[in-house]
Amino acid sequence: MASRLPLSEEDLSCPICCDIFRDPVVLKCSHSFCSTCLQQYWGQKHAARSCPLCRTESLDEPVASLTLKNLCDSLIEEGISMPPDTREECEPGNLCRYHGERLKLFCLLDREPICVICHTSRKHKNHECCPVEEAVVDVKEEMRSALNALQEKLEVFDKMKRSFESTAEHIKAQAQQTATSIQEEFEKLHHFLRVEEAARLAALKREEERKSQQMSEKVAEVASNMAALSETIKAMEEEMEMENLTILHKCKKTLLRAQCTFPESTMNPGALINVARYLGSLKFRVWEKMLGVVKYTPVTLDPNTAAPWLILSDSLTSVRDGEARQPLPDNPERFCPDTAVLGSEGFSSGRHSWDVEVGENTAWVLGVAKEWVQRKEKVSSVLKNGYLSVYYYHKMYFAGTSPLTRLNLKKRPQRVRVVLDYDRGRVAFSDAADGTSIYTFKHSFAEKVYPYFWVGCKLCPLKIEQRELCVTSVDHM
């Protein structure tokens, strides 16, 4: 019997369970497995029905191998079988997916379990390895250390999460308020735009009707000529069917009729819609008309820098001191405890100016602040702290020099003009009403500076004045 079995015990063993085949099946790639082992392997969350050895995807159902089953039955009848504990060691997860051997080693370089054949292969040759049992102990220790670090990070993140959750609520409130302000501002422009749109569409409609009527007349004229020609063609075709003498009698008249000419209709210049008239610089033309309703504010306040006690207008052009502290996020940009706020745009070149209505405000500071100024401590408005400012307090005016410079003004300004000439290194303050100089700083800038506002009065806000706009055209030669 044994002489009729050319295959060895290894050839008749399932690569998955390492036991003699039971109910063997063969895949399209020619690899064979126990039917039960293959179904269990496919059921272990394998997305594709692939071969456990070569990974070839198999869409067809496995085919039972009767010949292999007979060989295995013959081998079992002769009393040859694998040790009873081999199946437990050779579960699919314990086998090399390339060679079908048990995973006994762990590659320390590639951090993956390998078999003995893998260890001698080109991929892992000369790599340091250790037994799987030792690797499990070392890996668990590494994971335990990593787990402790992750738990510590989790506690830190939990504290950050609570802070960020409150900030997230503030962001939602900011977004809603900003959306409302946007809608209100655009609503002021919608009526103007609708009127402009309607006027242009009406003019376009009138031109379309007029030029469409002209084209209709042209079409009717050509259609009349076509009808006359069609009658002539039809008559000639009928006469051509006549007998020889008959057609000769009528040929003179017919040929004369064919020589009749019809006037050709031509398209007049300017027949098309004057598209450029309606679309040429359309946005600019509309915007030019909008100057009567649009105002420009040279500085817009940044609410993310405003101290929690300050109240800003919806347009972000005025600020006053409030009654109580508002629940705002303590973000890095925000001033606290000083009741200050910055402009939203910083300057690092050029000349810029803005007028601030101070009115009857009893405590205010105006000027510029360097980008690096400390915002989480009490501010002394002097140059060495990054501020170039003039302020009014206790009915006295001071320039923020070191030491402070007392300013003697002949009259109390209602509007203060701040002029920043970055390139020349000057910040000048004057009475916007008559141009009387208040004070001028001379300082070389090396960083970006922002408009700076400090207010200590609850009744009278500081208000940045709007400016009229005009449009000029510059010809470039």
Side-chain angles (χ1 to χ4, degrees):
M1 183 71 172
S3 61
R4 296 195 302 270
L5 294 173
L7 300 177
S8 65
E9 177 182 343
E10 182 178 357
D11 294 329
L12 299 177
S13 299
C14 174
I16 297 179
C17 67
C18 301
D19 204 347
I20 302 299
F21 285 112
R22 289 178 293 181
D23 298 325
V25 294
V26 62
L27 298 178
K28 189 177 181 179
C29 59
S30 301
H31 290 128
S32 300
F33 308 90
C34 295
S35 177
T36 303
C37 294
L38 183 61
Q39 295 300 328
Q40 289 178 349
Y41 177 84
W42 282 349
Q44 293 179 348
K45 299 182 180 179
H46 288 79
R49 290 162 59 91
S50 59
C51 174
L53 290 181
C54 66
R55 302 302 181 192
T56 300
E57 188 171 352
S58 178
L59 301 178
D60 300 326
E61 288 295 325
V63 179
S65 178
L66 183 59
T67 302
L68 189 57
K69 184 178 185 302
N70 292 336
L71 291 173
C72 293
D73 291 343
S74 299
L75 190 63
I76 293 173
E77 287 176 3
E78 293 195 6
I80 301 176
S81 63
M82 297 185 70
D85 60 341
T86 304
R87 170 174 289 277
E88 182 178 349
E89 297 178 359
C90 294
E91 292 296 327
N94 295 334
L95 295 177
C96 176
R97 62 178 181 174
Y98 301 109
H99 308 105
E101 296 290 333
R102 288 194 292 272
L103 301 172
K104 295 182 178 181
L105 300 174
F106 183 75
C107 179
L108 299 177
L109 180 61
D110 295 327
R111 308 285 291 178
E112 62 178 353
I114 61 175
C115 68
V116 177
I117 299 177
C118 289
H119 188 212
T120 61
S121 67
R122 184 178 301 172
K123 180 179 179 181
H124 297 281
K125 190 175 183 179
N126 298 328
H127 289 187
E128 185 178 357
C129 299
C130 69
V132 168
E133 295 76 9
E134 295 181 10
V136 170
V137 176
D138 293 340
V139 168
K140 284 187 177 181
E141 185 61 31
E142 291 180 17
M143 294 178 66
R144 187 176 295 107
S145 176
L147 179 62
N148 292 336
L150 292 175
Q151 288 174 339
E152 292 176 0
K153 287 184 178 181
L154 181 62
E155 294 178 0
V156 174
F157 287 154
D158 182 61
K159 295 179 181 179
M160 295 174 61
K161 176 175 174 289
R162 290 193 294 269
S163 174
F164 291 159
E165 285 175 344
S166 62
T167 303
E169 292 299 320
H170 178 72
I171 291 173
K172 290 181 180 180
Q174 272 189 316
Q176 181 60 44
Q177 182 179 0
T178 303
T180 301
S181 299
I182 291 173
Q183 291 169 351
E184 292 175 352
E185 289 299 316
F186 273 93
E187 186 58 33
K188 297 175 183 178
L189 303 175
H190 284 168
H191 176 70
F192 173 85
L193 294 175
R194 283 194 293 267
V195 171
E196 276 296 308
E197 179 186 16
R200 291 174 180 271
L201 289 176
L204 175 61
K205 184 65 175 178
R206 289 192 298 269
E207 184 175 354
E208 177 196 8
E209 292 175 350
R210 177 170 54 81
K211 293 186 175 179
S212 294
Q213 178 63 31
Q214 292 174 355
M215 286 299 104
S216 296
E217 294 173 357
K218 292 289 185 180
V219 169
E221 180 181 348
V222 173
S224 177
N225 292 338
M226 289 176 62
L229 281 174
S230 297
E231 291 181 1
T232 301
I233 292 171
K234 182 179 179 182
M236 291 183 67
E237 289 176 344
E238 292 176 352
E239 292 177 5
M240 289 176 64
E241 298 296 329
M242 297 178 180
E243 296 297 330
N244 295 338
L245 291 177
T246 305
I247 194 172
L248 291 176
H249 285 300
K250 295 186 177 183
C251 67
K252 182 178 180 180
K253 182 179 180 181
T254 301
L255 293 174
L256 288 174
R257 185 178 181 182
Q259 293 176 1
C260 292
T261 58
F262 294 89
E264 294 185 3
S265 297
T266 58
M267 186 180 297
N268 297 327
L272 301 180
I273 296 293
N274 188 356
V275 177
R277 173 188 174 190
Y278 302 100
L279 298 183
S281 300
L282 175 61
K283 295 178 181 178
F284 175 79
R285 299 304 179 192
V286 174
W287 175 73
E288 190 176 25
K289 288 187 176 182
M290 290 175 63
L291 294 180
V293 296
V294 173
K295 302 295 182 182
Y296 169 69
T297 304
V299 173
T300 300
L301 302 177
D302 184 358
N304 294 333
T305 66
W309 293 272
L310 296 183
I311 298 177
L312 275 60
S313 64
D314 292 340
S315 61
L316 303 179
T317 57
S318 68
V319 56
R320 66 178 177 86
D321 195 4
E323 298 292 337
R325 175 171 181 160
Q326 303 173 77
L328 299 175
D330 189 22
N331 50 302
E333 303 88 350
R334 192 176 306 281
F335 282 94
C336 185
D338 265 341
T339 55
V341 61
L342 296 181
S344 61
E345 181 182 0
F347 306 113
S348 56
S349 64
R351 188 177 186 276
H352 313 272
S353 67
W354 54 95
D355 295 348
V356 182
E357 182 180 335
V358 296
E360 301 302 320
N361 198 298
T362 56
W364 51 262
V365 180
L366 300 176
V368 297
K370 297 183 179 180
E371 192 171 25
W372 51 261
V373 295
Q374 297 297 320
R375 308 186 188 191
K376 303 301 181 185
E377 58 187 40
K378 272 288 185 180
V379 176
S380 175
S381 295
V382 293
L383 180 59
K384 67 179 181 180
N385 289 332
Y387 297 90
L388 291 84
S389 57
V390 168
Y391 59 98
Y392 176 68
Y393 193 69
H394 288 315
K395 299 182 179 180
M396 294 182 293
Y397 295 91
F398 297 91
T401 58
S402 181
L404 296 177
T405 300
R406 176 76 180 272
L407 303 176
N408 296 315
L409 304 184
K410 294 182 179 180
K411 67 174 182 176
R412 180 176 178 178
Q414 296 295 305
R415 292 184 297 120
V416 175
R417 176 166 297 165
V418 183
V419 179
L420 166 66
D421 193 333
Y422 191 98
D423 300 327
R424 296 180 60 192
R426 293 175 181 268
V427 181
F429 300 83
S430 61
D431 188 333
D434 55 15
T436 302
S437 177
I438 297 176
Y439 192 82
T440 299
F441 287 92
K442 297 180 180 180
H443 178 73
S444 297
F445 298 104
E447 61 279 291
K448 184 178 289 188
V449 295
Y450 290 81
Y452 174 76
F453 306 84
W454 183 95
V455 61
C457 178
K458 297 180 174 60
L459 301 178
C460 185
L462 298 178
K463 184 178 180 181
I464 303 167
E465 293 196 345
Q466 297 178 333
R467 291 180 178 172
E468 299 288 340
L469 294 178
C470 64
V471 177
T472 58
S473 177
V474 179
D475 293 331
H476 297 281
M477 300 301 292

